[in-house]
Amino acid sequence: MSLKAKNLSKTYSSGLLREGKCIFREVSFELEPGKTFGLMGPSGEGKSTLGRIIAGLERPTEGAVLFNGNPLSGMKKTEYATFRRRVQMMFQDPTDAFNPRKRIENSISEVLKLLDTPRTERIRRTKEMLKTAGLPEEVLSRYPAQLSGGQLQRLALGRILLLDPEYIVLDEPTSALDVSVQAQILHLLKKVQAEQKIGYLLISHDEAIIRFMSERVGILENGQLDMI
Ligand code: ADP
Ligand code: MG
């Protein structure tokens, strides 16, 4: 199972400039199961754009994303659905990840219903997920606003894990959290990765975080990806 970026270029068209704005050009890298590729670089250089492209949420202007060797652009519906389940994205602000009007319980069971999980099995899997994420069962009856950023980010990860992902794009996953909570989330990410052999693309502007988490590191700057 592999996930590769091959010669990706992205240009945003602009109403003013006929040429459009090239964000990056000819970017290639590969994610490996159980390992982290750290992507750093200054703000505005295209890290999030690249992350969204590899997760299939946005299309490249040129180049291809290959999942198990097959380009996303040529996939049949069922194959694409598998890709969308197996490659997940986790964002900076966990409050955006949950519907503020729904109890956590309902946001979680929605995912399991989509997977056609029977009711008794849903309860078992939800409890197991909370244990993995390091959360008490009480959070299930709460609304998102009643939980801390750290608890919500644990839940966001837990909900992703219910989908049994092979790869997760982590876009600044701790940047919205208090410094004291950041390390806890990073350790949780490492633990989960070791247990489930998930490959990460970790995006961060924080070099210390990238170095702590990653086997390989790339810098996206001036439209180019350089491995360091
Ligand atoms: P980073 O995550 O490294 O801060 P982004 O990927 O968010 O960078 O943005 C890279 C550049 O692309 C920025 O200049 C941003 O303004 C531009 N950009 C991002 N999304 C869009 C969009 N949908 N349309 C036009 N320009 C965009
Ligand atoms: Mg960004």
Side-chain angles (χ1 to χ4, degrees):
M1 293 290 171
S2 68
L3 186 58
K4 276 186 198 172
K6 198 175 164 200
N7 302 326
L8 296 178
S9 302
K10 183 71 187 182
T11 300
Y12 282 116
S13 55
S14 149
L16 296 172
L17 302 165
R18 215 179 275 153
E19 303 253 302
K21 181 180 171 193
C22 175
I23 309 296
F24 49 76
R25 192 168 278 147
E26 301 277 316
V27 168
S28 300
F29 61 91
E30 184 174 358
L31 300 185
E32 294 173 58
K35 296 198 172 156
T36 299
F37 177 59
L39 180 64
M40 55 186 217
S43 161
E45 293 285 334
K47 302 184 297 301
S48 294
T49 302
L50 190 53
R52 288 196 302 271
I53 290 174
I54 200 117
L57 305 179
E58 200 171 317
R59 283 174 194 232
T61 311
E62 279 174 75
V65 174
L66 304 172
F67 185 54
N68 301 327
N70 302 318
L72 300 192
S73 53
M75 279 185 179
K76 295 200 183 78
K77 256 193 176 168
T78 51
E79 209 183 352
Y80 187 69
T82 304
F83 160 79
R84 284 305 297 271
R85 184 154 87 81
R86 298 295 211 151
V87 180
Q88 289 292 317
M89 189 146 183
M90 187 167 150
F91 298 98
Q92 177 170 340
D93 191 344
T95 50
D96 292 343
F98 292 90
N99 184 334
R101 292 162 185 271
K102 281 193 179 159
R103 289 184 200 277
I104 296 301
E105 197 168 25
N106 295 328
S107 289
I108 299 297
S109 63
E110 239 169 33
V111 172
L112 291 168
K113 280 180 193 165
L114 280 177
L115 296 172
D116 289 327
T117 314
R119 195 183 138 74
T120 49
E121 179 68 5
R122 287 208 296 270
I123 295 168
R124 191 190 66 75
R125 289 210 60 192
T126 301
K127 286 185 176 176
E128 183 188 75
M129 179 278 272
L130 290 175
K131 216 172 178 185
T132 305
L135 291 165
E137 286 180 25
E138 289 91 83
V139 298
L140 292 174
S141 60
R142 305 275 160 79
Y143 287 94
Q146 297 173 305
L147 299 177
S148 70
Q151 285 176 316
L152 283 175
Q153 201 59 307
R154 284 173 187 273
L155 276 172
L157 177 63
R159 189 170 58 177
I160 286 172
L161 295 177
L162 293 173
L163 298 165
D164 198 14
E166 284 168 53
Y167 296 96
I168 308 178
V169 175
L170 306 157
D171 191 355
E172 306 271 4
T174 60
S175 301
L177 305 174
D178 291 344
V179 175
S180 60
V181 182
Q182 287 189 6
Q184 292 174 17
I185 298 293
L186 295 175
H187 280 106
L188 176 62
L189 285 166
K190 276 209 166 191
K191 184 189 81 157
V192 162
Q193 180 176 54
E195 285 168 2
Q196 307 191 22
K197 297 285 164 278
I198 304 170
Y200 291 155
L201 172 62
L202 173 65
I203 297 171
S204 178
H205 63 276
D206 186 328
E207 184 168 358
I209 289 177
I210 291 281
R211 298 252 178 228
F212 172 67
M213 295 290 290
S214 316
E215 277 83 16
R216 287 175 304 135
V217 177
I219 297 192
L220 189 60
E221 202 168 6
N222 303 321
Q224 277 196 323
L225 178 69
D226 294 312
M227 300 296 180
I228 55 167

